[in-house]
Amino acid sequence: MKRTIVIFGTISVVVILLFQVSKFSLMNTQGFSDVFLIISGILFIALGYFITKLFYARKHTNSIQEIDIKRIKELNISKQELKVLGLMSDGLSNNEIAETLFITENTVKSHVSKILSKLNAKRRTEAIKIGRDLNII
Amino acid sequence: MKRTIVIFGTISVVVILLFQVSKFSLMNTQGFSDVFLIISGILFIALGYFITKLFYARKHTNSIQEIDIKRIKELNISKQELKVLGLMSDGLSNNEIAETLFITENTVKSHVSKILSKLNAKRRTEAIKIGRDLNII
DNA sequence: CTCAAAATCATACTTTCGAGTGAGTTTGGA
DNA sequence: TCCAAACTCACTCGAAAGTATGATTTTGAG
């Protein structure tokens, strides 16, 4: 929110300055109005470019969405459990996960069971879906 | 590619027209230069906005990516198989998928088997991952 | 240091998945 | 109309996944 205010304030100032500069430039140098018009035009286009880019950048980061650490803590999911969940969503079997993490399959199974109960899922596929929806993976 | 040429051509024409209009407007009506400056400034900003939006829109559709029908046909995946794959990725069991599609679990199993072989996956979780990566789901 | 949480592993048991095979029915396009 | 592909279903068997319980070791925060 603070950032929004700062950005809009800056943009407003820049816009006003641009208008003032281009107005006086045009009034004082009648013969070179072409050049100044082009320059101010380019500046305005650039301004539009940056404004638009700003909004799209914000949207973009929202739609890509990073891992929600807060929610992981809320769900009381541990580091190792999270790793297992990630590997599950990569399509690995319990045995493959065990080999990847250098632990036994039994241990993986106990991790998986805990993940399922914490995410309130009946199957690993459901856990994957829930994990994705919650931006945990 | 054709679209790109058309778009750039249009943009070029619009830019030139804008310059001409604003130039003559300014030269002929000295007293109202403020109004015309503002209008032309807004127009240029709008232009920058649309140009930027155009580029971002293209990027955006690429990153969000809709279902790749072409690839589905390439992989020879049928309608029903695709439905099953979708329900799998929603975390449903074979039995639940059967109830959803009003078919028996045996039929679901045969669909799943075909999906796995077509996607070259060893497990349903892997099929889900591959399907996501290929923008099939 | 201490203690709870996390991580590790095991064993026994149930359920779900998936492979393989075979076969009958629908359907959409040539 | 005819046929291949899609869809349907069944049965068996082995593999993978998941449950339940219990126990030991590590670890990290206070």
Side-chain angles (χ1 to χ4, degrees):
Chain A
M1 202 57 207
K2 280 176 191 169
R3 234 186 99 193
T4 308
I5 293 167
V6 171
I7 287 163
F8 271 88
T10 311
I11 287 170
S12 305
V13 171
V14 171
V15 169
I16 291 164
L17 280 177
L18 268 176
F19 275 117
Q20 291 300 320
V21 168
S22 50
K23 191 173 80 179
F24 281 109
S25 300
L26 278 167
M27 282 190 148
N28 296 335
T29 58
Q30 201 64 22
F32 297 98
S33 62
D34 268 22
V35 177
F36 285 108
L37 243 174
I38 289 167
I39 289 170
S40 61
I42 289 168
L43 283 175
F44 280 124
I45 288 172
L47 189 65
Y49 167 79
F50 284 115
I51 291 170
T52 314
K53 201 177 169 186
L54 235 167
F55 280 104
Y56 269 85
R58 206 173 298 167
K59 262 194 201 171
H60 211 233
T61 48
N62 277 347
S63 65
I64 280 188
Q65 270 172 353
E66 322 152 329
I67 292 168
D68 192 339
I69 297 163
K70 199 183 294 174
R71 188 166 278 130
I72 291 169
K73 284 181 182 166
E74 282 172 9
L75 292 168
N76 199 31
I77 293 173
S78 70
K79 274 185 255 172
Q80 199 76 333
E81 284 164 4
L82 199 67
K83 279 189 200 170
V84 171
L85 181 58
L87 294 171
M88 273 199 317
S89 82
D90 283 340
L92 300 199
S93 69
N94 285 341
N95 191 37
E96 287 169 343
I97 294 172
E99 287 173 1
T100 304
L101 298 179
F102 301 105
I103 56 180
T104 63
E105 194 182 335
N106 288 319
T107 307
V108 175
K109 280 189 182 186
S110 72
H111 285 315
V112 172
S113 282
K114 279 171 192 165
I115 293 166
L116 294 184
S117 71
K118 285 178 183 176
L119 290 182
N120 201 25
K122 298 189 202 78
R123 281 163 292 281
R124 53 169 49 207
T125 49
E126 197 183 354
I128 292 167
K129 190 204 164 36
I130 292 170
R132 286 191 156 280
D133 289 348
L134 297 180
N135 297 309
I136 280 174
I137 304 176
Chain B
M1 202 56 207
K2 280 177 191 169
R3 235 186 99 192
T4 309
I5 293 167
V6 171
I7 288 163
F8 271 88
T10 310
I11 288 170
S12 305
V13 170
V14 170
V15 169
I16 292 165
L17 281 177
L18 268 175
F19 275 116
Q20 291 301 320
V21 169
S22 52
K23 192 172 78 178
F24 281 109
S25 300
L26 277 167
M27 283 192 147
N28 295 335
T29 58
Q30 201 60 24
F32 297 99
S33 60
D34 268 20
V35 177
F36 284 109
L37 243 174
I38 290 167
I39 289 170
S40 61
I42 288 167
L43 283 175
F44 281 124
I45 289 171
L47 190 64
Y49 168 78
F50 283 116
I51 290 169
T52 314
K53 200 177 171 186
L54 234 167
F55 281 104
Y56 269 85
R58 210 173 294 167
K59 267 193 198 169
H60 212 230
T61 47
N62 279 346
S63 65
I64 279 191
Q65 274 173 350
E66 320 152 331
I67 292 169
D68 193 338
I69 298 163
K70 200 183 293 176
R71 187 166 279 130
I72 291 170
K73 284 181 182 167
E74 281 173 9
L75 292 168
N76 200 31
I77 293 173
S78 69
K79 274 186 256 171
Q80 199 76 335
E81 284 164 5
L82 199 68
K83 278 190 200 171
V84 171
L85 181 58
L87 294 172
M88 273 199 317
S89 81
D90 284 340
L92 301 199
S93 69
N94 286 341
N95 191 37
E96 287 169 342
I97 295 172
E99 286 172 0
T100 304
L101 297 178
F102 300 106
I103 55 181
T104 65
E105 195 182 336
N106 287 319
T107 308
V108 175
K109 281 190 181 183
S110 71
H111 284 316
V112 171
S113 283
K114 279 173 192 166
I115 292 166
L116 293 183
S117 72
K118 284 178 184 177
L119 289 182
N120 199 26
K122 298 191 202 78
R123 282 163 292 282
R124 54 168 52 207
T125 49
E126 197 183 354
I128 292 167
K129 190 204 163 35
I130 293 170
R132 286 190 157 282
D133 289 347
L134 297 180
N135 299 307
I136 281 175
I137 304 174

